[in-house]
Amino acid sequence: MENEKTIKSEKIYEGKVISVKIDTVELPDKKYCKREIVEHPGAVAVILVNENNNLVLIKQYRKAIEDYLLEIPAGKIELKESPYDTALRELKEETGYTASSLTKLLSFYTSPGFANEIIHVFIAKDVIKGEATPDIGEFVEMLEFPMETVLQLIKEGKIKDAKTVTAILAYLQFYEK
């Protein structure tokens, strides 16, 4: 199977979190098409089961959907920062927890039809509770639930953040056996 060949690429927006470009591509049948692409530096998400054997979630308002979501701790990878270091930083900022180590669970693309964002999911190990230090402009509430409750919330559609659902189900399938 042949790849699409990029003929021209034009950046139309450069923001703090994303940039957007329009690529003109040559298709395998030699026809041309435009692709709108959102570029993202990547992100991390962390499964944190605390000292009470509860899953720690963050309740955060998300402007794009005009609603609150329950999510696992997560955040954008900064320039020259490894996914591992990002995960440690985001865990501390959003929950106050520190982890002596992280185990990589999986990585996945969020919406490869139009975006290159990849999320790396880690499991926090040997955690110690501390004080959260959210970023400026970030308002989060930390909550904790038994895993059975989390699964029920997913089933009822009360947890609908894709990275959170994916990470939790992968954790239960591949790790927590």
Side-chain angles (χ1 to χ4, degrees):
M1 182 173 237
E2 292 184 51
N3 293 338
E4 296 179 354
K5 182 180 173 189
T6 303
I7 305 301
K8 177 183 166 189
S9 188
E10 177 187 2
K11 190 156 291 193
I12 60 171
Y13 175 77
E14 182 92 34
K16 181 179 153 189
V17 176
I18 64 160
S19 61
V20 180
K21 67 180 181 174
I22 297 178
D23 284 358
T24 303
V25 299
E26 181 180 3
L27 303 171
D29 65 1
K30 305 301 179 201
K31 293 184 179 166
Y32 296 91
C33 186
K34 293 200 183 284
R35 302 285 190 222
E36 298 167 353
I37 300 170
V38 175
E39 296 178 308
H40 188 280
V44 301
V46 183
I47 295 279
L48 166 58
V49 177
N50 69 11
E51 65 280 0
N52 300 323
N53 208 32
N54 288 330
L55 182 73
V56 173
L57 295 176
I58 301 300
K59 183 177 180 182
Q60 186 172 10
Y61 185 77
R62 295 299 192 174
K63 179 64 179 157
I65 63 165
E66 300 281 351
D67 203 358
Y68 288 89
L69 288 178
L70 288 174
E71 308 173 39
I72 57 176
K76 180 176 73 81
I77 298 170
E78 298 297 339
L79 187 64
K80 297 184 180 179
E81 188 177 46
S82 73
Y84 188 93
D85 289 340
T86 302
L88 289 173
R89 177 180 53 76
E90 287 292 339
L91 186 64
K92 174 75 173 130
E93 286 176 5
E94 293 190 354
T95 70
Y97 279 91
T98 55
S100 65
S101 68
L102 300 169
T103 299
K104 179 86 174 270
L105 180 61
L106 77 156
S107 296
F108 60 91
Y109 292 101
T110 59
S111 297
F114 67 90
N116 70 353
E117 179 186 28
I118 188 167
I119 296 182
H120 307 280
V121 180
F122 293 90
I123 302 164
K125 305 291 228 155
D126 302 318
V127 296
I128 299 170
K129 190 170 186 170
E131 192 69 34
T133 56
D135 286 334
I136 294 171
E138 184 176 50
F139 300 93
V140 298
E141 179 184 354
M142 188 177 71
L143 304 167
E144 59 179 78
F145 300 95
M147 195 60 78
E148 304 79 36
T149 302
V150 172
L151 287 173
Q152 189 61 37
L153 291 169
I154 291 171
K155 185 177 180 181
E156 293 171 359
K158 293 180 180 168
I159 294 178
K160 40 192 162 189
D161 172 61
K163 74 180 171 303
T164 299
V165 173
T166 300
I168 290 167
L169 296 180
Y171 173 78
L172 292 172
Q173 180 65 38
F174 302 126
Y175 188 78
E176 195 54 31
K177 290 265 179 182

